[in-house]
Amino acid sequence: MPPFFNMITIGQLLGQATINKKDARYILMSILDMDQTQLLTNLQMVLEPEYVKTFNKMAVCISNKMPLEYVINTAFFMGLTFYVNENVLIPRNDTEILAEAAIKHINTTNALTVLDMCTGSGCVLVSLLHYTEAVGVGVDISPSALDIAKKNAVKNNVGHKASFILSDMFSDIKQKFDLIVSNPPYIPTAHIPTLEHSVKAHEPHMALDGGADGLRFYHTLAKEAANFLEPNGTVFMEIGYDQGEAVKEICLKAGYDVTIKKDYGGHDRVVIAQMP
């Protein structure tokens, strides 16, 4: 990609960009620390050469199929802004179904303590703490992910309500909670090479790989979560679109009462398992 001339306005740069125009706008918004309204009302502003150089570098990353969120280190989830890099998954719209269901549960019950298993970027836990009076703990096996989750808790003004534990699932958890939420890895191992290039080349495989059948973490959650739940505690789990019946059966065998919540596309998306 040829570099743009140094003396160039925002409008000219956007007009000449060969990448997706929406991506180009978000890159400039990130570089200039502007929102979209500010950007579009300053199209005649001449850009400093270093901004143009940074834009060109980031545009090359986009051309090489790096997700925009990793290029600008920013993702949006539940109306909040999160820092992300290649150590954590990019928050998905589907996961908002999990967060919304858990928030509604917290706000209509006395569930005030939350455990977020496989917290990753912390997007689910931070959202729950932002929109409720709950306090919570985020757990992950990745130190790098936990660093990002901590950063996001502070970024969204819930750092005082959140703590984080480095743990392989429940191995280092010592307390009980009213609510456990989890968006665990659930892609069958053999399916990972078939994912979109931007996913398989950039997102952490450890956060995607759910074992041979994609269900490995649900077996652990169903088996162990009850030991870390207060009486009448509940587990909310995101699942793959075709995993509802399998995860429901796993949880029923473990003694839970189970319901399934669908996403806006009509697919099974969240399994809710409650202690009887």
Side-chain angles (χ1 to χ4, degrees):
M1 177 182 296
F4 294 106
F5 295 110
N6 287 338
M7 297 301 294
I8 190 169
T9 67
I10 289 174
Q12 289 170 330
L13 185 56
L14 289 174
Q16 296 179 28
T18 57
I19 61 173
N20 179 284
K21 296 301 186 284
K22 179 180 177 181
D23 290 348
R25 288 198 302 271
Y26 272 104
I27 288 174
L28 275 176
M29 288 159 58
S30 174
I31 294 171
L32 301 173
D33 192 23
M34 291 181 173
D35 61 28
Q36 185 158 270
T37 299
Q38 291 171 319
L39 186 75
L40 296 179
T41 55
N42 285 279
L43 294 179
Q44 300 306 313
M45 188 180 92
V46 176
L47 292 166
E48 296 292 334
E50 61 265 28
Y51 291 153
V52 178
K53 184 177 181 180
T54 300
F55 177 90
N56 286 330
K57 288 181 178 179
M58 296 171 82
V60 168
C61 293
I62 292 290
S63 297
N64 291 333
K65 308 299 183 183
M66 178 179 282
L68 173 68
E69 291 87 350
Y70 290 151
V71 175
I72 64 174
N73 295 124
T74 302
F76 303 99
F77 182 83
M78 293 293 295
L80 304 174
T81 303
F82 292 85
Y83 175 88
V84 294
N85 64 24
E86 290 181 294
N87 291 305
V88 296
L89 293 181
I90 297 167
R92 267 37 176 212
N93 289 340
D94 286 339
T95 305
E96 293 194 354
I97 305 298
L98 172 69
E100 289 168 355
I103 289 168
K104 182 177 180 180
H105 178 83
I106 293 169
N107 285 334
T108 55
T109 68
N110 291 318
L112 292 177
T113 55
V114 178
L115 172 68
D116 180 18
M117 183 59 67
C118 307
T119 195
S121 68
C123 65
V124 173
L125 179 66
V126 168
S127 298
L128 267 56
L129 303 189
H130 179 85
Y131 291 110
T132 75
E133 296 301 315
V135 297
V137 175
V139 176
D140 209 284
I141 197 173
S142 166
S144 298
L146 287 179
D147 287 343
I148 292 170
K150 292 174 187 176
K151 181 174 184 175
N152 282 322
V154 173
K155 180 181 180 71
N156 287 285
N157 301 311
V158 296
H160 62 292
K161 299 173 67 179
S163 58
F164 297 90
I165 297 175
L166 181 68
S167 179
D168 183 359
M169 296 298 284
F170 293 97
S171 60
D172 291 298
I173 308 305
K174 308 299 183 185
Q175 67 184 94
K176 292 190 176 186
F177 301 85
D178 297 318
L179 178 70
I180 296 175
V181 294
S182 186
N183 179 17
Y186 57 71
I187 306 297
T189 304
H191 291 183
I192 290 177
T194 70
L195 298 174
E196 292 183 13
H197 175 80
S198 61
V199 176
K200 66 184 179 183
H202 295 285
E203 302 208 44
H205 285 200
M206 181 172 63
L208 296 168
D209 191 345
D213 59 1
L215 302 174
R216 177 161 60 98
F217 290 90
Y218 300 109
H219 286 285
T220 301
L221 285 163
K223 180 181 178 181
E224 298 188 30
N227 298 322
F228 300 92
L229 284 172
E230 298 286 3
N232 301 313
T234 309
V235 187
F236 286 71
M237 296 168 281
E238 180 174 330
I239 58 171
Y241 73 96
D242 58 350
Q243 295 174 323
E245 289 305 315
V247 177
K248 179 179 179 179
E249 187 63 25
I250 290 169
C251 294
L252 287 173
K253 288 182 178 179
Y256 295 90
D257 294 329
V258 181
T259 57
I260 298 177
K261 184 174 180 62
K262 295 184 181 295
D263 60 25
Y264 296 121
H267 300 115
D268 292 345
R269 186 57 60 189
V270 176
V271 168
I272 303 170
Q274 185 164 17
M275 295 299 296

